[in-house]
Amino acid sequence: MASNSLMATLTLTSIDITITEDRQTELSGGIFELSSNNETVIFLGHPTSDGSPIGAFGEIQQGEFTAFTSFPKTIQRSDSEPMAYFKPNEHWNGVSTFQWKKTDNINTTQEMTGTINVTSINDIATIEELSLSTNENVTLNFTTQSFLEKYTDIDNNTIDGIIIGPPR
């Protein structure tokens, strides 16, 4: 009977958070509604979208993100430190899900699904150096296509305009 009363203390939590693309995000104990220091979170795998991995759970070691490499991964609650970090794949955005459980070392909740909404950011476009040359007193002709061949935008934005100026 004692375990039934303890089971009632484990609150099941619907997790639905929104973060920004290309940034690691701290997952604190508050997200999982942990109520005591003896409760832990068990991550059952990295987040996925349509069954494909789209990022990783991990921790920060010496200032660097280190992904968890094996699952299930049990994380003990700490008031002063995050439970874990989530880092989406570079340039990925969309909705991902992950499976998790909560335990107080006596009882374990059923498997839960958490949702992480990763919003896109407008990544900066890049353009490779464009070098054109001609002889003195000879007109140099070039087209917009000359620039477009050197232009890359991960978000597939188009060029609004090209400004031509003197060399810097």
Side-chain angles (χ1 to χ4, degrees):
M1 284 309 226
S3 64
N4 285 342
S5 64
L6 283 175
M7 186 63 169
T9 66
L10 288 179
T11 306
L12 298 178
T13 305
S14 174
I15 297 175
D16 188 357
I17 60 175
T18 299
I19 66 169
T20 303
E21 165 189 345
D22 293 344
R23 290 178 175 70
Q24 64 199 23
T25 300
E26 180 180 296
L27 302 176
S28 67
I31 292 172
F32 300 96
E33 294 184 10
L34 301 180
S35 60
S36 68
N37 284 331
N38 68 333
E39 290 182 0
T40 59
V41 170
I42 304 168
F43 291 98
L44 301 177
H46 288 302
T48 61
S49 179
D50 296 326
S52 300
I54 56 81
F57 288 122
E59 57 194 346
I60 302 295
Q61 295 178 343
Q62 299 174 350
E64 296 291 322
F65 177 84
T66 302
F68 299 146
T69 56
S70 62
F71 291 93
K73 178 70 173 177
T74 302
I75 307 293
Q76 179 70 38
R77 179 178 190 254
S78 170
D79 289 328
S80 62
E81 296 179 9
M83 297 295 296
Y85 288 83
F86 167 67
K87 184 175 184 178
N89 291 346
E90 187 175 31
H91 306 299
W92 186 88
N93 61 77
V95 177
S96 67
T97 59
F98 65 97
Q99 305 308 116
W100 68 285
K101 294 181 181 183
K102 186 166 35 174
T103 182
D104 63 4
N105 296 325
I106 297 171
N107 296 294
T108 301
T109 64
Q110 73 262 22
E111 189 173 301
M112 297 288 295
T113 299
T115 302
I116 302 174
N117 300 294
V118 181
T119 59
S120 66
I121 58 172
N122 188 7
D123 295 295
I124 194 163
T126 59
I127 190 161
E128 297 175 39
E129 183 176 324
L130 178 60
S131 178
L132 303 169
S133 62
T134 187
N135 292 325
E136 185 177 344
N137 297 325
V138 175
T139 302
L140 177 63
N141 294 311
F142 56 92
T143 65
T144 303
Q145 189 60 35
S146 301
F147 289 98
L148 292 177
E149 290 170 358
K150 302 293 185 175
Y151 174 80
T152 306
D153 189 314
I154 194 76
D155 297 319
N156 295 318
N157 295 326
T158 57
I159 293 177
D160 290 333
I162 300 171
I163 300 171
I164 299 174
R168 292 188 216 172

